[in-house]
Amino acid sequence: MNKLLISFAAVVVLFAACKQDPLPEPPAPAQGIQPGQGVFIVCEGNFMFGNSSVHYWKYGDAECSSDLFQAANNRPLGDVCQSLTIIGNRGYVVMNNSNRVEVVSLNDFKSIATINGFTSPRYLLPVNSAKAYVSDLYANRISIVDLNTNDVTGRISLAGKTEQMLLHNGEVFVTNSENNKLYVINPQTDSLTDSLVLADGGSSLVLDANEKLWVLCSGNWQGSTSGGLFRINPATHLIEQSFALPPSSGAKSLCLSPQADTLYYLQNGVKRMAITDQQLPAQAFIAQGTRNFYALACVPGGELMVSDAVDFVQRSYVYRYSAAGAELQSVRAGINAGFIVHY
Amino acid sequence: MKETLRTYLAGILFVCGCLPALQAQDSLRQAVKKPVVITEWRGGLSSTGLIPLPIDSALASQYLQQNLSELLMRNGVFIKSYGSGSLATAGLRGSSASHTPAIWNDINLQSSANGQIDFALLPAFLFDFVLVQPGSTSAAWGSGAIGGAVFIASAAQPGDSMMAVRLTTQHGSFGENGQGLQFMLSRSRMAVSVRGVRHLAINNFPFRNITLPASPEQTLGNAATFMQAATADFAFTPGRKGNHQLGAHVWVQENNRHIPPSMAQTHSEATQYDRSARFLLTHSATLRDQKTFMRTRSAILIDELIYTSGFVSDSSAITHGLTQITETELTRELAPKIILNAGINHTYSQVEVSRFLSLQRMNRTSVFVLAGFLPARGVRIAAQFRMELVNGRVLQPVGSIGISSVRSMWVRLSANVSRNYRIPTFNDLYWQPGGNPYLKPEKSWNAEASANTTVHNGKHSASISLTGFVREVNDWIQWIPDGAVWTPRNVLKVWSRGAETRFTFSFKWRKWKLENSLGYDYVRSINKRAISPNDNSLNKQLIYVPAHRAFVAATLIHKHIYFTWSQQFTSHFFTATDHSTYIPAYTLAQVTIGSKLKLKKHRAECFVRVNNVFNTAYTLMPLRPMPPRSFQLGLRFDFQTTNQ
């Protein structure tokens, strides 16, 4: 009996002593966040895993920060961090599957407030100094937030999954990824004033140097309808030009050069197009190769930031490219870097 | 011949160490001392060279009113659970959830849609025995059995005239209550067993929400689960010779589960409703030559799943599945020491998922041959072969060779080498968008060797087993992005190796008895192929695969009183493929005090159990709280009448 027991113990000790997988280091407090010096990298994490994170990458540094929110607040940020809107020295971190918006101080990422009352929030857009809109995937409405009290003060009913928004000349343009509409809202009355028919899968939009609105639609997620890139006159609400994109094109992350004269977007690589071009680019400006490009941002100086989500279940790489498309640098951020914003 | 085969297969099971496991499920049949006819279970011969993991008998008795995921967890099996009563899948030896089927009365229950088994939907009360068989057995059970398999069975067996009734009831913390009722009747040529079970749990337990400032205590909401199920098993032996036996099994069940929010969500209104109906007809016969045994079985499995997110603009998703299985096999004694088994299996499946997957069908036909050879007493060799056609396309054949020997009175050595496969699921092939109809089956090699020693010393006994294994899976299917669409590809190559040890002993002293089970498992399951140069998962342990697991279950018995202490340890495991996030290690303990009474032929048992004795805060999935310390009270009555 004793021999058996000793044998069992020996086997246990033998295997327990095998090589151990090292555990990740806890995040370090934020350092060196200064306006105009870098970018915030917003990482979605995995749906239902609660492993979202936000990182700061100071231009030129070899590494970016670790998880800013966890380090500053000693708790995880939440589930599926969708976007970060900067208003003054505050950051509004939109937590899609945590149904809330975390308000943080951008200097140290300490939590200031939490705004609740959303279903599946996506983006926050300030429409004046005291009011912001928050788009939503599953609520069939956007929410109105009082930026002074951090409360939801009202709703505007809009059918479908609302995404990025843009304020121009007293009107808010709202993209919609579930149908083919671009909504127009009057922020004075918080009411829907117009709907433009574009293509399914609208998610991002920019305003160019000629004060024309560009909206990128990828087609529906089922892959059964076409998408397109549309140039719209925001004053007349008329579509001036449209470029068709095939179904399942994967086109997304429309952004604009600092001079507002060149468009960039992701579609199996980074595509580049002047606002005066008459057709969509055939070739990628930056080839995707073996990478899995997931987010794109244009930053001052004409540089581009592109994330590689790899297999979506590990930390992303974020690349910095020159205006000429040359790879300059890369860092590893969090899981599924899906939104990058200059600060 | 029939008796010869029975004796032979019974011997195999006993030598394999299966018999204690079969007995582990404290069935009413055992209570009335009518053992299950184990010839009905062909896993014994086909698993030659593989060592099953025994289920602790005391725990099996105490977890009758729970689902199988709870029972397996207490016996050292790693279960990936979203919470009490929520989705729970098993991954034996570092494999995925779709590599561990549940085999019910020789019928594979894996979902055709996603290839998985939700062990939270399998009530332990419905089964006469449970067996965990690590190791690859595709040659015996077809697609999917790469990591191992969990065998479950219910049966009725003609024999002595008797009637028995079992009644169980259990009440616990957080709104838990459940009841089970079984009626069993047997005569010389017929037997019937009917069971019904229901279980309700509100699961409104408190937990610390670590995602909120100061980690306030909250109460889990939208977490109620309700299950009700019934089975009927019928057996009939026509004619006086008893050469034929007919069997019928029916299993209907519905589960209504609310899906609670994770700690990072403010609320959830999601629900999942599962409904299933399973019908199985069997016929077995010993032919006139008394050397040929034939079995035929035909099953219809109907599953429905309705998921509702609760969002205003997001409607529900409904999955309908239908599977028809027909299998016939012949077993013949070719020579005194050679037995040949051959059969054919046809499986038709269809699946429809609202919004995502139109009605899809699949026809699979496979032939299998198994040859058993007994060159000397206590030594046996089994070789098997299986070839399958899927929608008319021939897959690469698979097979295995196993050997088991008793070299002395003390040591048994076993070894098994096998080639295995898993075909893509309907979701893999046809999901819209992204389904990939050009997927190849996953293929694997598995090799293992075991040593087992048993010691009997008067009233005391002890045994120790050690199994080492290696496995390589190629073309492991993983969903990866392709432009805007996720699509499954045969991308991964996974190499696994590890060891399983079990130590059991029984010690008697006067009116005291101590029964003890200890187990320790070590597994390394690593990815050997990167999908891109930036992929940092290369050579790293797969996610949700803890390297170390250990458990102990000790029962001290004095007369009719027993005290059981069980404890499990699970090492940390990663939730990101580059190991940047992980779930910490945890230890759980349970204590049970109970009493078993016997009055003539009737029996009664009552127990009080404390779960999570040390009130450990832990999760098995990120931010999904598991129950804190809780209490359960259980009662069981077995009534029997016998007419000799």
Side-chain angles (χ1 to χ4, degrees):
Chain A
M1 180 78 82
N2 288 339
K3 287 181 181 177
L4 287 181
L5 193 55
I6 292 169
S7 302
F8 179 79
V11 169
V12 172
V13 171
L14 180 68
F15 285 101
C18 289
K19 179 188 171 189
Q20 301 290 313
D21 295 304
L23 296 176
E25 296 288 327
Q31 290 181 335
I33 300 177
Q34 294 175 328
Q37 299 295 306
V39 288
F40 283 110
I41 302 169
V42 174
C43 300
E44 297 172 4
N46 298 109
F47 181 70
M48 290 294 193
F49 279 38
N51 54 357
S52 295
S53 58
V54 178
H55 308 257
Y56 187 73
W57 185 15
K58 192 174 180 181
Y59 298 128
D61 280 1
E63 294 180 344
C64 68
S65 76
S66 52
D67 182 347
L68 293 171
F69 191 89
Q70 173 78 53
N73 302 286
N74 197 31
R75 61 184 172 98
L77 178 56
D79 202 34
V80 187
C81 183
Q82 180 63 32
S83 62
L84 167 61
T85 299
I86 295 167
I87 304 176
N89 63 352
R90 288 187 173 189
Y92 292 77
V93 188
V94 182
M95 300 305 304
N96 172 254
N97 202 42
S98 286
N99 332 108
R100 64 182 182 236
V101 173
E102 291 282 358
V103 186
V104 297
S105 161
L106 288 178
N107 298 328
D108 54 11
F109 239 73
K110 292 274 190 189
S111 175
I112 296 172
T114 301
I115 309 173
N116 293 302
F118 310 102
T119 300
S120 186
R122 299 286 281 181
Y123 297 92
L124 182 145
L125 174 77
V127 295
N128 61 40
S129 61
K131 185 166 74 175
Y133 289 163
V134 176
S135 59
D136 204 302
L137 272 188
Y138 298 122
N140 277 337
R141 65 196 181 195
I142 61 175
S143 299
I144 304 166
V145 170
D146 185 323
L147 295 174
N148 295 316
T149 63
N150 293 317
D151 289 325
V152 173
T153 56
R155 319 278 190 188
I156 304 171
S157 294
L158 292 176
K161 301 173 179 177
T162 50
E163 297 278 2
Q164 286 189 14
M165 300 169 286
L166 188 144
L167 173 67
H168 175 67
N169 205 20
E171 290 184 308
V172 175
F173 297 87
V174 185
T175 55
N176 191 320
S177 61
E178 191 173 42
N179 59 33
N180 56 5
K181 300 281 178 55
L182 177 73
Y183 297 118
V184 186
I185 292 174
N186 181 341
Q188 300 295 324
T189 61
D190 297 326
S191 59
L192 178 68
T193 57
D194 200 359
S195 297
L196 286 70
V197 175
L198 306 178
D200 287 340
S203 61
S204 51
L205 74 175
V206 295
L207 188 74
D208 72 12
N210 299 327
E211 295 205 335
K212 303 293 185 184
L213 198 62
W214 291 83
V215 181
L216 183 62
C217 304
S218 59
N220 67 3
W221 63 269
Q222 296 95 330
S224 60
T225 62
S226 301
L229 179 62
F230 299 87
R231 192 183 76 203
I232 296 162
N233 185 330
T236 63
H237 297 179
L238 294 176
I239 300 170
E240 295 184 339
Q241 199 163 19
S242 63
F243 304 90
L245 285 164
S248 302
S249 65
K252 64 178 183 177
S253 292
L254 182 67
C255 68
L256 199 58
S257 64
Q259 292 76 29
D261 59 358
T262 306
L263 300 165
Y264 296 90
Y265 60 93
L266 291 179
Q267 187 193 6
N268 294 320
V270 178
K271 296 284 183 69
R272 182 176 68 167
M273 173 184 174
I275 58 173
T276 54
D277 285 353
Q278 296 304 304
Q279 58 185 14
L280 294 174
Q283 301 296 322
F285 172 58
I286 300 171
Q288 182 166 249
T290 60
R291 293 168 186 167
N292 176 21
F293 284 169
Y294 193 57
L296 168 69
C298 302
V299 295
E303 294 181 349
L304 298 169
M305 297 282 183
V306 190
S307 71
D308 172 9
V310 196
D311 64 356
F312 288 106
V313 199
Q314 61 179 284
R315 292 173 62 196
S316 307
Y317 282 82
V318 177
Y319 291 91
R320 182 172 149 234
Y321 292 94
S322 71
E327 183 179 322
L328 302 175
Q329 218 177 356
S330 69
V331 293
R332 289 186 74 194
I335 294 172
N336 294 336
F339 188 87
I340 302 167
V341 58
H342 167 75
Y343 179 69
Chain B
M1 172 63 189
K2 188 173 181 180
E3 292 307 312
T4 306
L5 279 175
R6 284 186 183 181
T7 306
Y8 170 73
L9 291 175
I12 287 174
L13 292 173
F14 184 77
V15 174
C16 281
C18 300
L19 207 52
L22 298 184
Q23 292 172 341
Q25 187 71 3
D26 193 359
S27 69
L28 181 57
R29 179 175 305 284
Q30 288 160 335
V32 297
K33 298 197 180 301
K34 283 176 61 65
V36 172
V37 177
I38 51 181
T39 50
E40 292 297 316
W41 185 73
R42 67 171 175 159
L45 189 60
S46 63
S47 300
T48 299
L50 303 177
I51 299 295
L53 297 181
I55 301 289
D56 184 86
S57 57
L59 294 182
S61 169
Q62 296 160 17
Y63 280 80
L64 266 184
Q65 200 65 45
Q66 305 292 110
N67 61 57
L68 273 194
S69 71
E70 300 280 345
L71 176 62
L72 297 180
M73 268 196 273
R74 304 295 172 248
N75 283 274
V77 176
F78 178 66
I79 297 289
K80 187 175 159 187
S81 169
Y82 283 77
S84 181
S86 298
L87 173 66
T89 57
L92 291 172
R93 291 184 174 173
S95 61
S96 77
S98 54
H99 293 152
T100 307
I103 311 289
W104 168 65
N105 289 342
D106 288 1
I107 298 295
N108 190 334
L109 296 182
Q110 273 180 304
S111 161
S112 298
N114 61 22
Q116 297 184 0
I117 289 287
D118 185 350
F119 285 91
L121 299 184
L122 303 180
F125 186 82
L126 299 184
F127 311 119
D128 288 314
F129 66 76
V130 178
L131 175 76
V132 179
Q133 176 64 75
S136 307
T137 52
S138 288
W141 303 106
S143 168
I146 287 179
V150 177
F151 294 91
I152 51 180
S154 56
Q157 178 63 31
D160 297 335
S161 291
M162 55 77 68
M163 185 178 72
V165 174
R166 164 171 288 181
L167 177 65
T168 65
T169 183
Q170 181 170 303
H171 296 265
S173 306
F174 315 122
E176 185 207 5
N177 77 80
Q179 291 79 36
L181 177 65
Q182 180 181 7
F183 170 79
M184 194 168 73
L185 175 71
S186 75
R187 294 291 183 264
S188 59
R189 286 161 49 190
M190 63 80 68
V192 62
S193 171
V194 179
R195 293 171 236 229
V197 62
R198 66 179 291 281
H199 187 268
L200 170 70
I202 306 300
N203 291 318
N204 55 344
F205 55 79
F207 66 98
R208 292 275 173 197
N209 191 335
I210 61 170
T211 71
L212 296 178
S215 301
E217 184 173 287
Q218 294 185 330
T219 299
L220 194 67
N222 198 53
T225 62
F226 174 71
M227 177 277 298
Q228 58 184 4
T231 60
D233 304 292
F234 176 76
F236 176 57
T237 306
R240 292 183 178 178
K241 292 182 179 178
N243 287 345
H244 294 262
Q245 187 170 81
L246 300 170
H249 307 265
V250 178
W251 174 2
V252 292
Q253 181 168 333
E254 69 170 355
N255 286 68
N256 202 343
R257 296 185 286 190
H258 290 192
I259 301 174
S262 78
M263 291 187 203
Q265 292 177 286
T266 54
H267 65 281
S268 168
E269 297 175 18
T271 61
Q272 181 173 323
Y273 175 75
D274 295 85
R275 182 165 57 181
S276 61
R278 298 166 176 127
F279 307 93
L280 170 63
L281 295 174
T282 64
H283 170 243
S284 57
T286 303
L287 302 190
R288 287 183 178 179
D289 63 2
Q290 295 296 306
K291 290 188 175 182
T292 307
F293 184 66
M294 186 181 79
R295 284 200 320 162
T296 301
R297 52 191 58 237
S298 183
I300 297 177
L301 314 176
I302 302 168
D303 295 290
E304 182 181 60
L305 185 157
I306 302 173
Y307 170 80
T308 308
S309 70
F311 291 130
V312 172
S313 65
D314 193 36
S315 60
S316 61
I318 304 173
T319 301
H320 289 287
L322 169 66
T323 302
Q324 297 171 332
I325 302 171
T326 303
E327 182 176 284
T328 187
E329 61 182 306
L330 285 171
T331 305
R332 183 173 173 81
E333 186 179 359
L334 295 181
K337 294 181 179 178
I338 299 176
I339 286 180
L340 186 69
N341 169 274
I344 185 167
N345 175 296
H346 179 77
T347 300
Y348 166 80
S349 306
Q350 68 176 48
V351 168
E352 183 178 23
V353 182
S354 63
R355 299 198 303 153
F356 305 118
L357 180 63
S358 58
L359 181 65
Q360 298 291 338
R361 300 178 175 87
M362 185 183 290
N363 278 289
R364 299 163 51 194
T365 304
S366 55
V367 293
F368 51 92
V369 178
L370 168 65
F373 178 47
L374 290 81
R377 180 178 172 78
V379 178
R380 70 183 179 283
I381 300 170
Q384 51 191 330
F385 165 89
R386 188 183 195 96
M387 191 170 71
E388 181 164 337
L389 288 84
V390 178
N391 286 339
R393 182 169 155 243
V394 181
L395 304 184
Q396 283 187 7
V398 296
S400 70
I401 296 177
I403 182 169
S404 181
S405 67
V406 180
R407 294 289 175 88
S408 70
M409 291 177 59
W410 297 59
V411 180
R412 186 181 82 245
L413 301 174
S414 304
N416 183 283
V417 179
S418 62
R419 176 77 163 158
N420 304 279
Y421 70 109
R422 182 179 79 87
I423 63 173
T425 64
F426 278 99
N427 288 357
D428 292 332
L429 294 169
Y430 306 118
W431 190 267
Q432 289 298 324
N436 180 359
Y438 304 106
L439 282 173
K440 297 178 291 185
E442 297 177 352
K443 295 176 284 291
S444 81
W445 281 104
N446 183 81
E448 61 186 276
S450 309
N452 189 324
T453 298
T454 301
V455 178
H456 293 280
N457 180 15
K459 297 179 180 178
H460 318 310
S461 66
S463 71
I464 183 171
S465 68
L466 170 63
T467 300
F469 69 90
V470 293
R471 185 185 64 230
E472 183 180 273
V473 182
N474 279 297
D475 294 327
W476 184 301
I477 296 170
Q478 186 180 41
W479 285 69
I480 59 175
D482 180 13
V485 176
W486 283 61
T487 186
R489 295 277 173 81
N490 296 103
V491 289
L492 291 188
K493 178 179 181 179
V494 175
W495 183 47
S496 307
R497 73 274 194 197
E500 292 149 355
T501 63
R502 292 293 181 272
F503 179 63
T504 62
F505 70 86
S506 176
F507 181 82
K508 288 182 180 176
W509 182 71
R510 296 184 178 174
K511 294 184 178 179
W512 294 83
K513 184 179 181 183
L514 177 64
E515 295 177 342
N516 209 333
S517 301
L518 294 88
Y520 169 74
D521 297 344
Y522 170 75
V523 62
R524 291 285 292 173
S525 197
I526 61 176
N527 174 30
K528 298 296 289 183
R529 187 178 294 154
I531 63 170
S532 74
N534 280 349
D535 186 354
N536 284 280
S537 69
L538 188 64
N539 292 323
K540 288 193 169 72
Q541 180 92 338
L542 298 188
I543 58 175
Y544 294 102
V545 178
H548 307 279
R549 292 194 313 282
F551 78 97
V552 59
T555 300
L556 183 64
I557 304 166
H558 178 66
K559 297 181 180 176
H560 59 274
I561 304 292
Y562 67 84
F563 171 84
T564 299
W565 167 62
S566 64
Q567 190 155 344
Q568 307 84 39
F569 167 77
T570 302
S571 69
H572 68 267
F573 51 93
F574 296 97
T575 55
T577 55
D578 62 347
H579 290 188
S580 56
T581 57
Y582 70 101
I583 300 281
Y586 59 89
T587 300
L588 294 176
Q590 305 81 36
V591 168
T592 306
I593 300 173
S595 174
K596 290 182 177 179
L597 301 172
K598 187 176 180 183
L599 180 63
K600 296 182 178 177
K601 294 174 183 174
H602 312 305
R603 296 172 181 225
E605 179 179 357
C606 66
F607 67 83
V608 175
R609 178 165 56 232
V610 184
N611 294 305
N612 195 356
V613 173
F614 303 115
N615 209 24
T616 303
Y618 72 107
T619 63
L620 299 177
M621 294 293 293
L623 303 182
R624 294 277 176 186
M626 296 297 285
R629 182 187 297 121
S630 63
F631 302 88
Q632 288 171 316
L633 169 66
L635 296 170
R636 188 178 77 190
F637 302 97
D638 293 337
F639 305 99
Q640 183 195 356
T641 62
T642 305
N643 299 318
Q644 297 295 338

